[in-house]
């Protein structure tokens, strides 16, 4: 099963994304920010870091850079509502996918499925 570490500071968005991904067959560990995500990256084994870019304490780009050194096989997908930071994310972590808010949950699930292909257990969202 594909394991996803979700870092999103908006409580309702974090719950919404977690439910949708779990419903699609993914195991999700959700945290409120980059600082909370750090021990999970260091101690656990995740396939994907799904992170908001703009968060308090530690932004998603810093978090992804830490993940790249601590867990180099973990893939990264950024989610953001700020167009200006999309370019910065692409430059800082070029291999990462960036999904701009607002997006449909189906789009998120499809992007995750594309990243993992046959590994994905998703049944899709209707």
């Amino acid at each position: 099963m594909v394991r996803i570490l979700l870092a999103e500071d908006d409580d309702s968005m974090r719950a919404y994304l977690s439910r949708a991904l779990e419903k699609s067959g993914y195991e999700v560990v959700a945290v409120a920010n980059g600082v909370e995500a750090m021990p999970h990256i260091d101690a656990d084994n995740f396939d994907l870091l799904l992170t908001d870019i703009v968060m308090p304490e530690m932004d998603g780009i810093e978090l992804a850079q830490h993940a790249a050194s601590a867990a180099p096989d973990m893939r990264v997908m950024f989610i953001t509502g700020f167009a200006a930071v999309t370019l910065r994310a692409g430059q800082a972590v070029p291999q990462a996918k960036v999904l701009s808010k607002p997006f449909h949950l189906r789009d998120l699930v499809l992007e995750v499925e594309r990243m993992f292909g046959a590994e994905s257990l998703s049944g899709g969202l209707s």
Side-chain angles (χ1 to χ4, degrees), residues 31-48:
V31 297
N33 58 49
V35 173
E36 287 183 26
M38 293 284 280
H40 292 284
I41 290 171
D42 294 335
D44 297 332
N45 198 10
F46 290 93
D47 301 295
L48 174 64

Side-chain angles (χ1 to χ4, degrees), residues 47-103:
D47 301 295
L48 174 64
L49 170 63
L50 177 61
T51 181
D52 192 0
I53 295 176
V54 179
M55 295 184 293
E57 298 182 62
M58 172 186 279
D59 70 26
I61 294 172
E62 292 173 281
L63 180 61
Q65 289 171 329
H66 173 77
S69 62
D73 292 335
M74 184 174 12
R75 298 177 195 176
V76 176
M77 184 185 304
F78 293 115
I79 49 178
T80 185
F82 299 93
V85 298
T86 301
L87 178 61
R88 189 172 132 237
Q91 292 170 337
V93 188
Q95 70 278 17
K97 172 73 181 155
V98 180
L99 200 58
S100 295
K101 295 177 189 172
F103 54 84

